[in-house]
Amino acid sequence: MGSITRNAWRLQHQPTTKPIQRLFSTTLSQKSDFAHAVIGAGVVGIAAARQLQGRTGASTVLIEKHDAVGTETSSRNSEVIHAALYYGADSLKTKLCIRGRQELYKLCKEQGIPHRNTGKWVVAQNDTEFKELEKILDFSKQVGVPTHFLSKEEGKRREPDVQATAGILESPTTGIVDSHALMQYLLGDFEERGGVTALNSAITRVVPKQNGSGGWEIWTKSSATGADGGEESCITADTIVNSAGLYAVPLSNSILPEDRHITPYYAKGTYYSYTLSRPKTSTLIYPAPVPGHGGLGTHLTLDLGGRIRFGPDIQWVDSPTDYAASDEHLEAALADISRYLPTIDKSAITLDYTGIRPKLTRTSAIIAGQNFKDFIIRKEEGFEGFVNLLGIESPGLTSSLAIAEMVEELLCR
């Protein structure tokens, strides 16, 4: 989905709930305004708020600095429902991706959220790459995720435009989802359960009262008035969930002591669109992974209209707002793409949009092994009622419902 379509979606699907500045006061009562406060309304934050609100109607507020939900990482990704092929058997990413995928397919089917179980091929062009496919197959058996090899004849019959000279490993449970429709459903369900959404509410500070045992003060300014406009307002909550995505680490650092601070890193990825109808696939195509790299190569994904897009690449940036698209890596991407789609018309591949992934190290790798970084999802010791969600990148969209369940378990059980 390109940037024009995304902007149109935002205009058409903004939540009707107004910012809740009317509920904020500069003087605190002895009882908290809310049981739970979730900071950051990306797909994970919305899912967590919905989960918490659904627990016996516990009052939950979802705080978002933008004027609409899901405008950052949640709407600037491949919209893939991942199978969990890469992340390590004991990792949170594997556990939550598997659980989240199952719950996501179920929810989409029950609620009519647009999605498609496309399947995915991981393709190898030489013996070295084929060995990586064998590793994925062995790992998938270990964690109970179905994969299997396809013969060259079967591959050519099903996807004649795809080249895989050394082998094809198929992941039949991979798919795609309309992330915007998913977030809109989750938000609507959260609000129907009695949850409150506060848009245009930029966090200025979060203050634990008695290290959180007395609740939390959450101070905001209206984003609509600009950085220098408006007065601070405050609400209180018994617990807080830091689901601020690209800004989660800085927010955590503002609360925790210096010896527990983490350095945030930002990996910008560029996506490319394809304007012709041929070559065409109905399956997602990924090159064999390269261990130690920060991504999975320039892969081919589809939107729900069947249009092809490629990406993302990786460019390390200093700012989480640096969304400027550049064709700096286009030649490298074209070389990658033409290895598995040799009849591609390179002149029809154009810049589409960029996304930024929150990383916990500059050398962070997708593949389990050296430099791999798992999700950080934990209740912070010494700070009662504070749950941190850090480094929530891929497979965060797939894992969102399972992450929400984990947040509820940490806070409420």
Side-chain angles (χ1 to χ4, degrees):
M1 184 179 295
S3 57
I4 294 177
T5 306
R6 289 168 186 275
N7 289 335
W9 177 87
R10 291 173 193 150
L11 290 173
Q12 295 169 8
H13 296 82
Q14 287 187 30
T16 57
T17 306
K18 299 295 184 183
I20 61 166
Q21 305 294 8
R22 66 186 185 279
L23 297 177
F24 292 13
S25 64
T26 53
T27 59
L28 299 173
S29 64
Q30 302 216 338
K31 186 177 180 181
S32 296
D33 298 316
F34 293 93
H36 310 292
V38 178
I39 299 172
V43 64
V44 171
I46 302 170
R50 170 179 174 265
Q51 188 79 19
L52 292 170
Q53 182 64 37
R55 182 181 174 83
T56 66
S59 60
T60 303
V61 60
L62 177 63
I63 304 173
E64 170 57 48
K65 68 179 180 180
H66 294 296
D67 62 0
V69 303
T71 62
E72 294 179 350
T73 306
S74 295
S75 62
R76 292 172 172 269
N77 58 71
S78 301
E79 296 185 302
V80 172
I81 302 174
H82 289 287
L85 302 180
Y86 305 108
Y87 316 116
D90 299 324
S91 71
L92 281 177
K93 286 187 176 182
T94 292
K95 172 186 174 183
L96 296 174
C97 185
I98 292 172
R99 169 67 177 169
R101 169 172 47 79
Q102 295 166 346
E103 291 300 298
L104 184 54
Y105 274 129
K106 178 181 177 183
L107 181 71
C108 287
K109 184 176 181 180
E110 290 175 349
Q111 302 301 328
I113 298 167
H115 70 291
R116 185 177 305 143
N117 184 189
T118 59
K120 162 181 159 180
W121 288 4
V122 188
V123 297
Q125 310 300 343
N126 54 49
D127 290 343
T128 299
E129 293 179 358
F130 184 77
K131 289 178 182 178
E132 295 302 320
L133 302 194
E134 292 179 317
K135 291 178 183 178
I136 295 174
L137 177 67
D138 290 342
F139 173 74
S140 67
K141 291 178 179 178
Q142 181 182 354
V143 297
V145 173
T147 61
H148 55 265
F149 281 113
L150 295 179
S151 68
K152 289 184 179 181
E153 294 74 20
E154 176 72 1
K156 276 300 177 186
R157 183 186 68 79
R158 288 174 48 185
E159 299 289 359
D161 292 325
V162 175
Q163 177 172 275
T165 56
I168 301 168
L169 184 68
E170 181 169 44
S171 166
T173 59
T174 301
I176 54 176
V177 63
D178 184 336
S179 62
H180 305 300
L182 172 63
M183 288 187 284
Q184 198 60 35
Y185 168 77
L186 294 174
L187 182 69
D189 196 40
F190 164 66
E191 292 178 341
E192 285 182 9
R193 296 179 182 195
V196 177
T197 306
L199 302 177
N200 287 317
S201 300
I203 301 293
T204 57
R205 53 196 167 112
V206 175
V207 181
K209 299 161 61 180
Q210 301 169 10
N211 286 336
S213 61
W216 295 81
E217 297 176 4
I218 303 162
W219 294 83
T220 70
K221 278 188 177 182
S222 173
S223 305
T225 60
D228 299 325
E231 295 183 357
E232 279 190 314
S233 300
C234 181
I235 59 166
T236 56
D238 295 332
T239 74
I240 63 166
V241 177
N242 175 14
S243 185
L246 293 167
Y247 302 89
V249 168
L251 178 58
S252 174
N253 290 348
S254 74
I255 298 170
L256 299 179
E258 188 172 358
D259 62 353
R260 292 163 67 176
H261 287 188
I262 296 173
T263 301
Y265 298 92
Y266 307 105
K268 180 166 71 172
T270 298
Y271 292 84
Y272 306 91
S273 60
Y274 189 61
T275 58
L276 300 181
S277 59
R278 306 297 306 184
K280 187 174 180 61
T281 79
S282 58
T283 308
L284 310 188
I285 310 296
Y286 282 55
V290 178
H293 282 205
L296 296 175
T298 306
H299 48 264
L300 180 158
T301 60
L302 303 166
D303 66 18
L304 288 162
R307 291 178 293 272
I308 286 175
R309 58 187 172 196
F310 300 101
D313 56 18
I314 284 189
Q315 177 185 356
W316 296 102
V317 294
D318 296 327
S319 169
T321 63
D322 183 4
Y323 289 109
S326 167
D327 61 3
E328 177 183 354
H329 298 124
L330 178 57
E331 286 303 316
L334 292 174
D336 217 10
I337 294 164
S338 62
R339 294 185 72 224
Y340 60 80
L341 215 59
T343 61
I344 196 79
D345 184 342
K346 295 180 180 180
S347 67
I349 298 177
T350 58
L351 291 174
D352 195 348
Y353 62 96
T354 62
I356 300 177
R357 286 153 282 176
K359 296 280 192 176
L360 299 179
T361 174
R362 192 178 175 89
T363 57
S364 178
I366 296 294
I367 308 301
Q370 187 176 11
N371 299 324
F372 172 77
K373 282 289 185 179
D374 202 0
F375 292 152
I376 292 178
I377 302 175
R378 65 189 178 205
K379 198 171 183 180
E380 292 291 354
E381 184 178 353
F383 291 82
E384 185 65 28
F386 178 25
V387 170
N388 243 339
L389 308 181
L390 307 178
I392 309 298
E393 51 161 332
S394 182
L397 174 62
T398 307
S399 305
S400 57
L401 299 179
I403 293 174
E405 291 175 340
M406 185 174 178
V407 168
E408 181 191 8
E409 289 175 2
L410 288 171
L411 286 177
C412 304
R413 295 178 184 173

